[in-house]
Every structure is written in structure tokens, then in C-alpha cells.
Amino acid sequence: MPGPDGAGDFRPHSSHWGVFEGAWRDGALQVRPHPADPDPNRILQNFPAALRHRARIAQPMVRRGWLEDGPGADARRGRDEFVPVSWDRALGLLAEELARTPPERIFGGSYGWSSAGRFHHAQSQVHRFLNMALGGYVRSVNSYSAGASNVILPHVVGPMEAMSRRNVTWDAVAEHSEIVLAFGGMALKNSMVAGGGVSRHIERGCMRAAAERGCEFLLVGPLRDDCPAEARAEWLPIIPNTDTALMLALMHGIVAAGKHDRGFLDRCTTGWPAFEDYLLGRRDGQPKDAAWAAPLCGIPAERIAALAARLPGKRVLVTVAHSLQRAEFGEQPVWAGLALACVLGQVGLPGGGYHYALGALGHTGRRSNLVSTAALPQGRNRVGAFIPVARISDMLLNPGAEYDYNGQRLAYPEVDLVYWAGGNPFHHHQDLNRLRDAFRRVRTLVVHEQAWTATARHADIVLPVTLTLEREDIGSSQTDPLMVAMHKLAEPFAEARDDYAIFTDLAARLGKEDAFTEGRGARDWLRNLYDRTALDLRDKGFDAPDFDAFWQAGYLELPQAPDDGGMLRAFREDPEGAPLPTPSGRIEIFSATIAGFGYADCPGHPAWIAPRDVPEDAAPLRLVANQPATRLHSQLDFGGHSQDSKRRGREVAWLHPADAAARGIADGDVIRLFNARGACLAAAELSDGVMPGVVNLPTGAWYDPEDAAEDKPLCVHGNPNVLTRDVGTSRLAQGCTGQLTTVQVERFTGNLPPIRAFDPPGA
């Protein structure tokens, strides 16, 4: 085994941001990307410094108030001391607490991004444990990334996965697209990441090839860099959360000129006449034309009209980024973008039509594997209760309260115990001061964590777990052809254990070890999971080495399906023989199902609904809280690459020079961003790549309150979720709206507080 005291060969491993190899040289870990990757992700360089960082959790810890006073709601969470305990005591206390808590009062929290490995996948591990050892748990559905689209797309065209992963490929864009109309852009920082790993980052090269062939990329968004330079994109700066208005105006211009594809609309869609009445203003007297849209979206009417005239007759691909639907009424741009592609008659054509979230993840725009890659079975959850994932604070603060979701009237379950393994809600969730209050209401909060995140600091029982480099696994994704034998590159830090080892011990204490493990150790499970893929390969006529040969080789190339355009291509070619999984079998521009729900915030067809969270005197700037470029979410924020991107130890916020000048802010100043929900510090960077009236502060800087005893403490590190709103996209999806809000910004003139986010509690 290689280690810090000696050199070893480079061994394969994988991460969500890329396949790589690692070895020890002169007492330090070195990592290098997979040699076949044409555009490696530099996030890999977060690993070396993170492996033995002071932020790592060294041993089991129990919050003093919980240990001395017993379980229960406690305002000291997040600022209390921790007491180190042995593994035996920690697991004994936890087993007792689990044994006395009914499954229907346990929330199983996780977010699935903790490891690219298919076995040491914390979300699968915690859900399997809760199912097999306790009988189930209250679960969450959908995702923070795509909460609105997850719900709206199945109603109107088909599953989100079919629209994002089995649709137009990057190869088709490079070869066929003439115009790519990218609402929200296609930022490489997003497409460099894929759950399960990615061995070849192809997006930059495909956009370069398309542009060199003559394809025009049009970036519609407030940030110029949301398309790479290689795309040579034309930038249409748009006021955030007004894309639906622009889409409607483009459709109006095309229809008014008689350039819409009537044959496609008649053959492949349902509900067009009702939507056309709305579009042309026959019902409300307001045509949704360029003159109407211009003041809403900040794009001159002449430019909108010219773009509408430019689209018909071209192979146009309409893409809608995740970012558009992480906002108020986020269902609308997803639906309106689909309608625009239908008006142009392009849906299902190679390099044309509609693609949800192309470039939002490394999964999108790629061919699918012909064989499945197995994951750890999670067992059966016998608890029926669930919440939309972004409604956790609502659940904890309002147990029993009723709410609407996707045509159902539901009630929030009463939860006593939250078990979190894999994920950091202090990154994902909005209005962190509200989340702090919510977590203080539960009886017990248990966290498996590698490092002292804010989530760990709010827990009652903290169990240290290994970093991916400290264990073996198998990396694979359904859209990447390389299966990776993830070799162990380092010994576990201090007393850290794998999630599987922790859950095995807990299951034994609860009398459920055999059910949880099925008699297998970790290596046995790796062999079992690999053998399922090998069997599938052989059944389809392909060679497959045995597990030992695969492990020694380090990699296995999997066959991939042809680039056939997926569900939409088949539907276009034969609407009757290959209907869509919608009530009508067609694309639903008007949905009788959604209309029947009676939701004013999500009517029966795409519509402009004016946002309520708009600039005012107290908060005159629009904040865009997007994904970071130097880490995945908040993972390894203490890593070298992430730390190198900060200025004066703070996260960087970008704003337009005119907005900075009006506030006396110079490049490099520390600024205070604030609104009624909270405040944070960041380092200012001035750029004309941010449209005026917008400030951009990426998510992922670890929450670092100056005084955790305050109700709304200043985050000194730059976490924008102290500012964002904790409300659902609509009654249909109840998705996350954390992409956008409004703030004021000022130059910070006080004594600069130290960054303590990476120091262990009490240090």
C-alpha cells in the first residue's frame, strides 16, 4: 500500500469531476488526470491538501448539551462544545436512540454527491441501512439542481433523464447544429462534473468544432462567461428570471410572420390553439410581442425581433440550463423553451430541437452505455411519507402543516431524528438562518462527515468517515464508457471509518447485521457489483474479464449505444408508433392535467408570471448564486485549488464596474452583501462580463458565522445562502429557488474577521 512515507506506483481512482491516478512522491500525494482526457478538470488538485487537512474529523464526537441533558430541541446547536468519545460509546448511544425512534419519525438526509464510487455511495448506504435495519424512513424526492424540471417535464414531454441524457449529443451539435440558443448558457465549470465520474471532458472541443464549422452560439444570460471562448458566443445579457418573456416574444414574432411549423404543431403537439390565443393576446388583449418583452427582460425590442426573424429555416437547438428553473416560477422557462422548439418544428432532428440542461452536467450530450452498472441495493422503504427535497426547513418548522405538490395535498411529517450521511445542507439549502432554526427543533441530528462542515457543527452525534482516497470502490456512470477500479491511495485519517463499516456495526447492535450485509464485506460487495456488469456484458455477446483481472488492469471500456436521438427522435419519426409518455402521447403545449390542478403559479400552458422577488431600494441588485468553478458544491473547499481562487481568504463576488463605482468599491475590496435575511462578506472583483445591476457570488464557501449566538450572524467567508429565499418554485414542484435573489452591497470598512470555517470546534 502506498503511503506518505514511501513512493508507490500511480494507481487509478475516480471522482465526480474526473478519472485520475494517484501516487506518493517525497511524502506527498500527487494526482494526474486520466491520460485520455482531452480537457482535464483542475478540481482534481483539491485532493492533495485536503487529505490530511486540519478540517478533517479525527474521532467520534457528541455535542455536550445532548450528552449531558439528553436528546431534545436545543438552541445551542451550531455553537455548543463537542466531547470526544470512543466508537463503542458513540455507536451505543446512537443505537439506543434509533431503537426508540419510529421509522416514520426519522428523516434520511443525503444528497448523493459524496463519492463517485458505486458502493461507498453515502446516499445508498444510509438509505439501505434505514430500510434494512429499521424498516424505512421519511425520504425526499427530486433535487436542488432540477426540482422544477423533474416535475414539469414528465407532464409535458417525458422524464427529465430522457431530455437531458438521451437526447441531442455533443457530436450532433458539432456536426449538425446551425444555431444553439442557450438560455442560461453552457458553462464548462458545470459540464466538467458528472455523478459517477467522467473520463473524457469533450464539451469544449465539440463547441470549438461546431463554431469553426459555422454554428452560431447565442448565450442568453446575465454572465458572459457562461459559454467558453471556444464557442464564440454572441451574448444577449438578460435580466435574470425573465427568459420566459423573451421566449414568448420570439414565438410571437415567428407566428406573426407565419414562419411557425404548422405541420409539426398539428402532428406532434396538443393544445397549440389555446396557447396561440394567449401568445397573440386574443384572451387578455396583450400580445406577447417584442415591444412587450423588451422592458421586462432588458433586451431592445429591435434585437428580439431580429432574432425571431433569424431562427426559422435553420437547424436550431434550444437549450435551457438548470439555473433558469432554480427561481420563482422555474417551471415556466423549461416549458416555454420546449414550446419554442416546437414552433420551429425542430424537435427530434439531429443537432436541433430541444435539450434540457445540455452542459449542466457531464452526463448530458453523451451516448449511453449498452450495459448497466450496478449500484448497492437499497431495500424497501415501508414509510410512505416524503417531502420535496428543498422543503426540509418547512418540514422541521411546521410539522403537520399542509402544502400542495404536483396535484396532491400533503402534510409535513413530524420528525424527531435526522440522519445525514453524504451532503451538506448548509451548501444546498437556502436562508441558512432559517435552516439553523429548523435544525434546532429536532430531538437528535446525526451526521457522518469527513470534515467539520457547518452541518457537522450543528449535529448531536458526529461520526468521522473516510475520504474517497482512503477506500476501494468502483467508479462508473451510464454515460461514460470507462469503468474504473478505484484503488485505495491512502490509509484512513485518524479514526475515520467507511460508512459501510459504521452501518454494519449499528445493524449488529440492532440485530439486523445479516439483513444489512447479506454476509458480505466491502470487497465482496465490489466483486458482486462488478459481476452483475460482467454478466450483462456476456449476455450481450461482449467479453468481460473476471473481477481480479479487472482490478489489476484498473479500467474496463464498456460498449455504448448508438447516437439515435433517443425518445424525441423516435417520436418525431413515428408519433403514433412511438408516442411520448404523456397523457396525449404528444408534446403538451397545453396540459389539461396541470390546468386541472388549479395552480395560479403554474397554469395549463407556458406563461409569463411576474417575479415577486425584484429589486427595491433596500436591495437594488440581483444576486446570482451559481455553481462554483473550483470545487463541486462545497466539497473540499479547504483544498488547494479552491483556496487558491479566494482573495483575502474570502469567496470572490463579481460585479459590474458601474455598480462598484456607485458604491465606492474597488477591485479587491472586501464587501458586505446583505438583505433582510442575512449578510456575508466577499472579495470584490470587477468585470464587464457581469451585466449592470447583477452581482455574482457562487455557492460553496463554507458557512462561517462571526458570532453563532446571534439570530442572523454575519458569514465572514462568503456563503450566499444566508441571503437566498427558502420558498418553492410553485405549488406544482416546490423546487429550489436559490439561484436568484436581491441584495444591497457596500464596502466593508470594519476590522476584517478571521476565517474559522476550517478549524475544528474549540480550536
Side-chain angles (χ1 to χ4, degrees):
M1 169 61 59
D5 298 322
D9 295 333
F10 276 92
R11 298 186 178 202
H13 207 79
S14 189
S15 68
H16 296 304
W17 45 92
V19 177
F20 66 98
E21 298 170 345
W24 289 89
R25 295 287 186 270
D26 299 321
L29 177 68
Q30 294 185 8
V31 297
R32 65 187 186 191
H34 187 267
D37 192 343
D39 189 20
N41 193 337
R42 293 185 63 204
I43 295 179
L44 290 172
Q45 299 309 318
N46 278 328
F47 275 129
L51 188 60
R52 296 292 182 259
H53 196 277
R54 68 183 186 280
R56 294 288 304 274
I57 301 171
Q59 64 187 107
M61 294 282 194
V62 179
R63 187 175 62 81
R64 183 175 295 281
W66 190 92
L67 189 64
E68 295 180 352
D69 302 333
D74 196 335
R76 291 171 290 181
R77 284 197 180 98
R79 58 187 177 89
D80 204 355
E81 296 178 349
F82 284 88
V83 178
V85 298
S86 67
W87 271 106
D88 184 66
R89 188 176 185 201
L91 295 177
L93 290 169
L94 178 51
E96 291 176 5
E97 186 68 356
L98 290 170
R100 74 186 188 99
T101 308
E104 60 271 16
R105 298 180 79 95
I106 296 175
F107 179 75
S110 182
Y111 204 56
W113 283 104
S114 64
S115 171
R118 296 300 83 196
F119 175 66
H120 291 294
H121 180 248
Q123 186 180 71
S124 299
Q125 291 279 350
V126 67
H127 292 171
R128 177 179 175 85
F129 168 74
L130 293 173
N131 286 336
M132 305 301 285
L134 302 177
Y137 60 98
V138 176
R139 73 191 194 280
S140 61
V141 298
N142 306 324
S143 70
Y144 281 91
S145 296
S149 50
N150 262 315
V151 179
I152 186 72
L153 284 170
H155 282 294
V156 302
V157 61
M160 192 193 80
E161 293 292 292
M163 298 303 107
S164 64
R165 297 198 191 187
R166 303 190 69 179
N167 195 350
V168 179
T169 62
W170 284 110
D171 288 340
V173 170
E175 184 176 355
H176 297 289
S177 301
E178 295 179 86
I179 294 177
V180 176
L181 186 53
F183 290 95
M186 296 183 291
L188 290 181
K189 65 181 175 59
N190 299 332
S191 59
M192 294 291 252
V193 172
V198 53
S199 61
R200 301 177 184 91
H201 292 91
I202 62 173
E203 295 78 7
R204 190 192 306 271
C206 287
M207 281 189 262
R208 179 192 296 114
E212 290 175 349
R213 180 181 49 78
C215 176
E216 302 172 81
F217 288 85
L218 282 76
L219 164 60
V220 182
L223 308 177
R224 182 181 58 205
D225 291 341
D226 275 346
C227 273
E230 289 80 2
R232 306 174 189 173
E234 176 185 341
W235 184 29
L236 282 78
I238 188 171
I239 293 172
N241 206 16
T242 65
D243 300 78
T244 300
L246 176 58
M247 294 171 181
L248 292 170
L250 293 174
M251 285 187 275
H252 182 281
I254 294 166
V255 172
K259 299 293 186 180
H260 52 307
D261 192 327
R262 296 179 182 86
F264 181 87
L265 292 168
D266 290 343
R267 188 169 63 101
C268 295
T269 74
T270 187
W272 170 254
F275 177 67
E276 186 181 48
D277 286 346
Y278 168 78
L279 190 69
L280 299 180
R282 293 170 182 154
R283 271 188 279 144
D284 60 5
Q286 175 58 68
K288 311 308 179 289
D289 56 15
W292 165 81
L296 297 174
C297 62
I299 299 175
E302 297 78 9
R303 193 172 187 187
I304 296 173
L307 178 56
R310 181 174 162 189
L311 298 176
K314 298 286 183 67
R315 183 63 57 88
V316 178
L317 177 62
V318 178
T319 69
V320 177
H322 276 332
S323 58
L324 270 63
Q325 53 87 68
R326 286 199 296 261
E328 284 185 288
F329 318 123
E331 296 84 0
Q332 300 311 309
V334 175
W335 201 353
L338 175 64
L340 174 58
C342 290
V343 165
L344 292 166
Q346 298 282 297
V347 174
L349 291 173
Y354 178 76
H355 196 300
Y356 175 72
L358 182 64
L361 282 171
H363 297 300
T364 62
R366 295 169 181 261
R367 292 160 59 194
S368 296
N369 294 338
L370 274 175
V371 294
S372 61
T373 51
L376 181 68
Q378 297 182 23
R380 178 188 172 199
N381 186 351
R382 293 175 174 81
V383 176
F386 70 90
I387 61 166
V389 68
R391 303 274 59 81
I392 182 171
S393 290
D394 286 351
M395 174 185 70
L396 297 178
L397 292 169
N398 305 294
E402 294 187 340
Y403 68 100
D404 291 302
Y405 170 73
N406 200 17
Q408 304 172 73
R409 187 71 173 168
L410 303 173
Y412 289 118
E414 295 190 22
V415 167
D416 292 329
L417 187 149
V418 174
Y419 204 132
W420 213 284
N424 178 16
F426 277 83
H427 162 74
H428 291 294
H429 202 67
Q430 289 68 61
D431 195 347
L432 294 186
N433 290 315
R434 188 168 186 258
L435 180 66
R436 293 166 75 221
D437 187 22
F439 274 163
R440 288 169 176 166
R441 306 291 183 94
V442 300
R443 193 180 76 199
T444 298
L445 173 57
V446 185
V447 170
H448 290 203
E449 188 50 273
Q450 301 157 353
W452 281 109
T453 63
T455 305
R457 294 172 193 268
H458 283 78
D460 300 309
I461 299 175
V462 182
L463 303 179
V465 294
T466 51
L467 198 65
T468 178
L469 303 175
E470 299 163 347
R471 58 197 182 217
E472 296 178 342
D473 215 325
I474 295 175
S476 64
S477 162
Q478 285 300 125
T479 57
D480 192 277
L482 199 65
M483 177 179 280
V484 182
M486 297 168 60
H487 286 240
K488 184 176 178 179
L489 300 178
E491 292 300 322
F493 175 78
E495 295 184 27
R497 295 183 180 180
D498 298 341
D499 293 300
Y500 185 68
I502 296 170
F503 287 131
T504 297
D505 196 328
L506 277 173
R509 292 167 187 263
L510 296 168
K512 298 290 184 179
E513 181 177 3
D514 289 344
F516 177 71
T517 68
E518 298 182 24
R520 297 187 181 100
R523 174 61 82 94
D524 300 320
W525 271 111
L526 297 185
R527 188 180 299 274
N528 175 272
L529 298 180
Y530 172 81
D531 285 347
R532 297 187 214 176
T533 299
L535 179 62
D536 197 8
L537 281 166
R538 296 182 189 114
D539 285 347
K540 290 181 169 65
F542 298 98
D543 291 332
D546 64 22
F547 175 80
D548 293 329
F550 159 69
W551 196 258
Q552 184 174 1
Y555 304 104
L556 177 64
E557 194 84 16
L558 301 177
Q560 292 200 291
D563 184 359
D564 61 4
M567 176 190 296
L568 291 180
R569 178 85 52 81
F571 168 68
R572 180 188 182 93
E573 292 176 352
D574 186 3
E576 301 301 324
L580 298 174
T582 62
S584 64
R586 300 181 177 191
I587 297 171
E588 303 218 348
I589 295 178
F590 176 89
S591 167
T593 299
I594 294 175
F597 296 156
Y599 299 154
D601 54 6
C602 190
H605 59 70
W608 167 251
I609 309 173
R612 295 163 294 195
D613 187 20
V614 295
E616 56 185 8
D617 290 344
L621 298 175
R622 289 176 166 88
L623 172 69
V624 175
N626 60 352
Q627 291 298 319
T630 59
R631 58 190 171 263
L632 168 57
H633 301 316
S634 65
Q635 286 188 42
L636 307 184
D637 188 27
F638 49 85
H641 184 50
S642 180
Q643 287 297 301
D644 288 346
S645 73
K646 298 179 190 287
R647 299 178 69 172
R648 302 178 73 177
R650 325 283 150 170
E651 198 67 17
V652 174
W654 286 266
L655 65 163
H656 192 275
D659 293 321
R663 293 163 174 78
I665 295 169
D667 194 81
D669 282 347
V670 173
I671 58 175
R672 177 175 172 263
L673 299 86
F674 60 97
N675 59 23
R677 287 173 293 280
C680 69
L681 301 183
E685 185 162 320
L686 311 188
S687 172
D688 61 3
V690 178
M691 68 180 294
V694 169
V695 57
N696 173 213
L697 178 60
T699 61
W702 282 17
Y703 175 62
D704 193 357
E706 183 177 25
D707 184 354
E710 294 184 2
D711 288 338
K712 295 182 179 180
L714 174 71
C715 175
V716 304
H717 191 201
N719 188 321
N721 279 330
V722 299
L723 307 164
T724 50
R725 300 169 71 235
D726 187 14
V727 297
T729 52
S730 78
R731 293 160 69 192
L732 180 78
Q734 296 286 358
C736 160
T737 58
Q739 185 83 12
L740 303 173
T741 193
T742 56
V743 297
Q744 179 58 288
V745 175
E746 64 183 11
R747 184 169 173 266
F748 183 73
T749 57
N751 294 325
L752 198 59
I755 303 296
R756 297 174 298 181
F758 309 123
D759 296 332

